[in-house]
């Protein structure tokens, strides 16, 4: 029996903006990509929400990352913001900013983030593996990033 997938991609709305920094200089975009995927997957599991991200970064003496989080099923609370800023979440340095997305600023955050080098994560959905997604072993959104993808 085939299960129909729900196409809710148009419902993904920006929910948060974050800036992450590293303790030491980084010059390897591949390792940075891996670290960010781990962070986003960890957050989506803690938040219990599906996430998509836009990632801009700068390598070198001022290595930092900007992320815009999109979700269809996340209600951002202060407790979740504190979780996202914790040392347990981002082990490579500091979360210098994690705040609700401000729609009054229009596309400002998107333009600023994509003004940096951009990691190609378009179309990837990070799945928290909740019960309805685990039922048949397939996420309701179809294409997702899980732990196996990171290894």
């Amino acid at each position: 029996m085939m299960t129909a997938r729900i196409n809710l991609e148009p419902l993904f709305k920006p929910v948060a903006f974050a800036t992450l920094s590293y303790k030491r200089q980084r010059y390897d975009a591949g390792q940075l990509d891996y670290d960010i995927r781990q962070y986003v997957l960890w957050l989506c599991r803690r938040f219990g929400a599906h996430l998509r991200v836009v990632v801009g970064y700068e390598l070198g003496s001022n290595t930092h990352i900007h992320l815009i989080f999109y979700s269809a099923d996340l209600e951002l609370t202060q407790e979740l913001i504190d979780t996202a800023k914790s040392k347990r979440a981002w082990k490579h340095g500091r979360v210098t900013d994690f705040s609700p997305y401000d729609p009054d600023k229009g596309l400002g955050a998107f333009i600023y983030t994509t003004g940096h080098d951009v990691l190609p994560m378009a179309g990837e959905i990070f799945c928290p593996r909740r019960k309805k997604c685990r039922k048949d072993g397939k996420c309701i959104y179809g294409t997702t990033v899980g732990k196996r993808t990171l290894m």
Side-chain angles (χ1 to χ4, degrees):
M1 181 170 130
M2 266 185 99
T3 305
R5 303 216 183 210
I6 301 169
N7 183 8
L8 297 176
E9 288 188 35
L11 296 179
F12 275 76
K13 302 218 178 333
V15 293
F17 176 81
T19 301
L20 314 175
S21 64
Y22 274 96
K23 292 177 197 168
R24 297 183 182 90
Q25 296 176 5
R26 297 285 171 144
Y27 295 97
D28 181 8
Q31 183 62 46
L32 185 121
D33 180 87
Y34 180 82
D35 294 344
I36 292 168
R37 288 172 188 275
Q38 277 189 315
Y39 176 68
V40 175
L41 187 59
W42 191 89
L43 286 181
C44 85
R45 300 255 167 91
R46 293 301 180 278
F47 291 176
H50 291 83
L51 296 174
R52 297 178 88 171
V53 292
V54 172
V55 181
Y57 68 93
E58 183 178 318
L59 294 174
S61 61
N62 183 24
T63 302
H64 65 281
I65 303 137
H66 300 289
L67 299 105
I68 302 173
F69 292 88
Y70 293 81
S71 184
D73 50 4
L74 176 62
E75 234 5 89
L76 199 58
T77 64
Q78 187 59 47
E79 183 181 351
L80 294 178
I81 291 171
D82 292 343
T83 299
K85 289 174 134 182
S86 72
K87 289 182 181 180
R88 194 167 174 214
W90 181 248
K91 301 170 185 163
H92 310 288
R94 239 172 30 105
V95 178
T96 56
D97 179 34
F98 194 99
S99 54
Y101 189 86
D102 185 356
D104 293 336
K105 293 184 179 175
L107 293 174
F110 182 81
I111 292 167
Y112 182 74
T113 300
T114 56
H116 291 70
D117 293 327
V118 176
L119 286 178
M121 292 188 181
E124 296 180 36
I125 300 171
F126 291 79
C127 178
R129 306 299 293 157
R130 293 184 308 207
K131 187 175 181 177
K132 62 184 170 184
C133 291
R134 292 191 318 258
K135 187 176 179 182
D136 296 323
K138 297 174 184 163
C139 178
I140 59 171
Y141 290 104
T143 307
T144 60
V145 176
K147 191 168 188 171
R148 281 186 229 114
T149 312
L150 294 174
M151 295 178 185

